[in-house]
Amino acid sequence: MVVSFHVTDQEQGEWTVLRVSGELDLVTSPVLRQRVHDVVADGRHSLVLDLSEVWFCDSSGVGVLIAARRLLRSCQGTLRLILPAQGAADGSHVNRVLGALGVRRLFDIHPDVTSAVSDDSRPLSA
Protein backbone atom coordinates (compact mmCIF):
# COMPACT_ATOMS: atom_id res chain seq x y z
CA MET A 1 0.00 0.00 0.00
CA VAL A 2 1.34 3.41 -0.96
CA VAL A 3 0.74 6.12 1.63
CA SER A 4 -0.27 9.41 0.11
CA PHE A 5 1.45 12.20 2.00
CA HIS A 6 2.69 15.55 0.76
CA VAL A 7 4.07 18.72 2.31
CA THR A 8 4.38 21.83 0.16
CA ASP A 9 5.50 25.23 1.30
CA GLN A 10 4.95 28.81 0.27
CA GLU A 11 5.78 32.20 1.67
CA GLN A 12 2.97 34.61 2.54
CA GLY A 13 4.59 37.80 3.75
CA GLU A 14 6.44 37.00 6.96
CA TRP A 15 4.69 33.63 7.21
CA THR A 16 5.79 30.25 5.91
CA VAL A 17 2.80 28.08 5.10
CA LEU A 18 3.31 24.31 5.05
CA ARG A 19 0.34 22.60 3.40
CA VAL A 20 0.06 19.03 4.58
CA SER A 21 -2.10 16.43 2.86
CA GLY A 22 -2.76 12.74 3.40
CA GLU A 23 -2.15 10.66 6.51
CA LEU A 24 -0.14 12.06 9.41
CA ASP A 25 1.01 8.92 11.20
CA LEU A 26 4.03 6.98 12.44
CA VAL A 27 5.40 6.62 8.89
CA THR A 28 4.85 10.18 7.67
CA SER A 29 5.18 12.33 10.80
CA PRO A 30 9.02 12.34 10.69
CA VAL A 31 8.75 14.05 7.27
CA LEU A 32 6.66 16.88 8.73
CA ARG A 33 8.93 17.11 11.78
CA GLN A 34 11.95 17.57 9.48
CA ARG A 35 10.20 20.19 7.34
CA VAL A 36 9.31 22.21 10.46
CA HIS A 37 12.92 21.99 11.66
CA ASP A 38 14.17 23.07 8.23
CA VAL A 39 11.91 26.13 8.25
CA VAL A 40 13.11 27.17 11.71
CA ALA A 41 16.75 26.48 10.82
CA ASP A 42 16.29 28.86 7.86
CA GLY A 43 15.40 31.57 10.36
CA ARG A 44 11.69 31.60 9.57
CA HIS A 45 9.82 31.70 12.86
CA SER A 46 6.25 32.48 11.74
CA LEU A 47 4.78 29.16 10.65
CA VAL A 48 1.32 28.09 9.52
CA LEU A 49 0.57 24.39 9.22
CA ASP A 50 -2.38 23.93 6.86
CA LEU A 51 -3.86 20.61 7.97
CA SER A 52 -7.15 20.98 6.09
CA GLU A 53 -6.21 18.13 3.70
CA VAL A 54 -5.04 15.72 6.42
CA TRP A 55 -7.63 12.98 6.62
CA PHE A 56 -5.98 10.84 9.29
CA CYS A 57 -3.80 11.73 12.28
CA ASP A 58 -2.56 9.38 14.99
CA SER A 59 -0.68 10.04 18.22
CA SER A 60 2.67 10.39 16.45
CA GLY A 61 1.15 13.12 14.27
CA VAL A 62 -0.15 14.91 17.36
CA GLY A 63 3.32 14.54 18.87
CA VAL A 64 4.82 16.34 15.88
CA LEU A 65 2.33 19.20 16.27
CA ILE A 66 3.14 19.56 19.96
CA ALA A 67 6.88 19.38 19.25
CA ALA A 68 6.50 22.04 16.53
CA ARG A 69 4.68 24.29 19.01
CA ARG A 70 7.45 23.80 21.57
CA LEU A 71 10.17 24.49 18.98
CA LEU A 72 8.55 27.71 17.72
CA ARG A 73 7.93 28.93 21.26
CA SER A 74 11.57 28.27 22.19
CA CYS A 75 12.72 30.73 19.51
CA GLN A 76 9.97 33.28 20.19
CA GLY A 77 8.21 32.20 17.02
CA THR A 78 4.54 31.71 16.21
CA LEU A 79 2.72 28.58 15.12
CA ARG A 80 -0.79 28.64 13.71
CA LEU A 81 -2.83 25.67 12.51
CA ILE A 82 -5.49 25.61 9.82
CA LEU A 83 -8.23 23.19 10.83
CA PRO A 84 -11.51 23.98 9.09
CA ALA A 85 -14.66 23.07 10.97
CA GLN A 86 -15.93 21.51 7.77
CA GLY A 87 -13.62 19.38 5.70
CA ALA A 88 -13.33 15.63 5.62
CA ALA A 89 -16.87 14.21 5.78
CA ASP A 90 -18.04 15.67 9.10
CA GLY A 91 -15.25 18.07 9.98
CA SER A 92 -11.49 17.99 10.25
CA HIS A 93 -10.16 14.67 11.54
CA VAL A 94 -7.19 16.45 13.13
CA ASN A 95 -9.58 18.87 14.84
CA ARG A 96 -11.49 15.94 16.36
CA VAL A 97 -8.31 14.13 17.43
CA LEU A 98 -6.85 17.22 19.12
CA GLY A 99 -10.18 17.85 20.84
CA ALA A 100 -10.48 14.26 22.03
CA LEU A 101 -6.96 14.37 23.48
CA GLY A 102 -7.65 17.68 25.20
CA VAL A 103 -4.75 19.49 23.50
CA ARG A 104 -6.66 21.60 20.94
CA ARG A 105 -6.56 24.59 23.31
CA LEU A 106 -2.74 24.60 23.07
CA PHE A 107 -2.91 25.72 19.45
CA ASP A 108 -3.79 28.93 17.64
CA ILE A 109 -6.36 27.53 15.19
CA HIS A 110 -7.72 29.27 12.10
CA PRO A 111 -10.25 28.28 9.41
CA ASP A 112 -8.11 29.24 6.38
CA VAL A 113 -4.79 30.67 5.21
CA THR A 114 -6.10 34.22 4.87
CA SER A 115 -7.12 34.27 8.52
CA ALA A 116 -3.94 32.53 9.70
CA VAL A 117 -1.54 35.00 8.07
CA SER A 118 -3.54 38.09 9.01
CA ASP A 119 -2.09 40.30 11.74
CA ASP A 120 -5.51 41.14 13.14
CA SER A 121 -7.02 37.68 12.91
CA ARG A 122 -8.81 36.03 15.77
CA PRO A 123 -8.27 32.30 16.23
CA LEU A 124 -11.25 30.00 16.37
CA SER A 125 -12.33 29.29 19.93
CA ALA A 126 -11.28 26.02 21.50
Side-chain angles (χ1 to χ4, degrees), residues 10-17 44-46 113 117-119:
Q10 70 181 76
E11 300 299 315
Q12 295 233 193
E14 68 184 64
W15 293 91
T16 297
V17 179
R44 296 177 284 169
H45 297 158
S46 296
V113 173
V117 300
S118 171
D119 287 339

Short mmCIF file of all heavy atoms in Angstrom, two decimals, residues 10-17 44-46 113 117-119:
data_model
loop_
_atom_site.label_atom_id
_atom_site.label_comp_id
_atom_site.label_asym_id
_atom_site.label_seq_id
_atom_site.Cartn_x
_atom_site.Cartn_y
_atom_site.Cartn_z
N GLN A 10 5.00 27.54 0.98
CA GLN A 10 4.95 28.81 0.27
C GLN A 10 5.13 29.92 1.29
O GLN A 10 4.86 29.74 2.47
CB GLN A 10 3.63 28.98 -0.49
CG GLN A 10 2.42 29.18 0.42
CD GLN A 10 1.14 29.32 -0.36
OE1 GLN A 10 0.62 28.34 -0.85
NE2 GLN A 10 0.64 30.53 -0.47
N GLU A 11 5.62 31.03 0.82
CA GLU A 11 5.78 32.20 1.67
C GLU A 11 4.59 33.12 1.49
O GLU A 11 4.14 33.33 0.36
CB GLU A 11 7.07 32.96 1.30
CG GLU A 11 8.33 32.13 1.43
CD GLU A 11 8.58 31.65 2.84
OE1 GLU A 11 8.43 32.44 3.79
OE2 GLU A 11 8.92 30.47 3.00
N GLN A 12 4.05 33.63 2.57
CA GLN A 12 2.97 34.61 2.54
C GLN A 12 3.38 35.74 3.47
O GLN A 12 3.13 35.65 4.67
CB GLN A 12 1.65 33.98 2.99
CG GLN A 12 1.17 32.91 2.05
CD GLN A 12 -0.25 33.12 1.58
OE1 GLN A 12 -0.82 32.22 1.02
NE2 GLN A 12 -0.82 34.28 1.76
N GLY A 13 4.07 36.73 2.91
CA GLY A 13 4.59 37.80 3.75
C GLY A 13 5.63 37.24 4.69
O GLY A 13 6.55 36.54 4.26
N GLU A 14 5.47 37.51 5.98
CA GLU A 14 6.44 37.00 6.96
C GLU A 14 6.18 35.55 7.34
O GLU A 14 6.95 34.93 8.06
CB GLU A 14 6.39 37.86 8.23
CG GLU A 14 5.09 37.71 9.00
CD GLU A 14 4.99 38.62 10.20
OE1 GLU A 14 4.97 39.85 10.03
OE2 GLU A 14 4.93 38.08 11.32
N TRP A 15 5.10 34.99 6.84
CA TRP A 15 4.69 33.63 7.21
C TRP A 15 5.17 32.59 6.21
O TRP A 15 5.15 32.82 5.01
CB TRP A 15 3.17 33.55 7.30
CG TRP A 15 2.62 34.36 8.42
CD1 TRP A 15 2.21 35.66 8.37
CD2 TRP A 15 2.45 33.94 9.78
NE1 TRP A 15 1.79 36.07 9.62
CE2 TRP A 15 1.93 35.02 10.50
CE3 TRP A 15 2.68 32.73 10.44
CZ2 TRP A 15 1.63 34.95 11.85
CZ3 TRP A 15 2.39 32.65 11.79
CH2 TRP A 15 1.87 33.76 12.48
N THR A 16 5.56 31.43 6.73
CA THR A 16 5.79 30.25 5.91
C THR A 16 4.59 29.35 6.11
O THR A 16 4.22 29.05 7.26
CB THR A 16 7.07 29.51 6.34
OG1 THR A 16 8.18 30.37 6.15
CG2 THR A 16 7.26 28.24 5.53
N VAL A 17 3.96 28.95 5.03
CA VAL A 17 2.80 28.08 5.10
C VAL A 17 3.20 26.70 4.59
O VAL A 17 3.61 26.56 3.45
CB VAL A 17 1.62 28.62 4.26
CG1 VAL A 17 0.42 27.69 4.34
CG2 VAL A 17 1.24 30.03 4.71
N ARG A 44 13.10 31.21 9.73
CA ARG A 44 11.69 31.60 9.57
C ARG A 44 10.92 31.11 10.79
O ARG A 44 10.79 29.92 11.01
CB ARG A 44 11.14 31.01 8.27
CG ARG A 44 11.86 31.59 7.05
CD ARG A 44 11.38 30.97 5.77
NE ARG A 44 11.96 29.63 5.65
CZ ARG A 44 11.58 28.74 4.74
NH1 ARG A 44 10.60 29.00 3.91
NH2 ARG A 44 12.16 27.56 4.69
N HIS A 45 10.42 32.05 11.59
CA HIS A 45 9.82 31.70 12.86
C HIS A 45 8.33 32.01 12.94
O HIS A 45 7.75 31.99 14.03
CB HIS A 45 10.56 32.39 14.01
CG HIS A 45 11.98 31.96 14.12
ND1 HIS A 45 12.95 32.71 14.74
CD2 HIS A 45 12.62 30.85 13.67
CE1 HIS A 45 14.11 32.09 14.68
NE2 HIS A 45 13.94 30.96 14.03
N SER A 46 7.70 32.31 11.81
CA SER A 46 6.25 32.48 11.74
C SER A 46 5.73 31.40 10.80
O SER A 46 5.91 31.47 9.59
CB SER A 46 5.89 33.87 11.21
OG SER A 46 6.33 34.87 12.10
N VAL A 113 -6.09 30.00 5.30
CA VAL A 113 -4.79 30.67 5.21
C VAL A 113 -4.92 32.18 5.40
O VAL A 113 -4.13 32.79 6.11
CB VAL A 113 -4.09 30.36 3.86
CG1 VAL A 113 -2.82 31.20 3.70
CG2 VAL A 113 -3.74 28.88 3.77
N VAL A 117 -2.67 34.11 8.32
CA VAL A 117 -1.54 35.00 8.07
C VAL A 117 -1.88 36.47 8.31
O VAL A 117 -1.05 37.34 8.15
CB VAL A 117 -0.98 34.85 6.63
CG1 VAL A 117 -0.49 33.42 6.41
CG2 VAL A 117 -1.98 35.26 5.58
N SER A 118 -3.11 36.72 8.75
CA SER A 118 -3.54 38.09 9.01
C SER A 118 -3.08 38.54 10.39
O SER A 118 -3.17 37.80 11.35
CB SER A 118 -5.06 38.16 8.93
OG SER A 118 -5.52 39.42 9.38
N ASP A 119 -2.58 39.77 10.46
CA ASP A 119 -2.09 40.30 11.74
C ASP A 119 -3.22 40.53 12.72
O ASP A 119 -3.03 40.45 13.93
CB ASP A 119 -1.36 41.62 11.53
CG ASP A 119 0.00 41.41 10.89
OD1 ASP A 119 0.53 40.28 11.00
OD2 ASP A 119 0.53 42.35 10.29
#
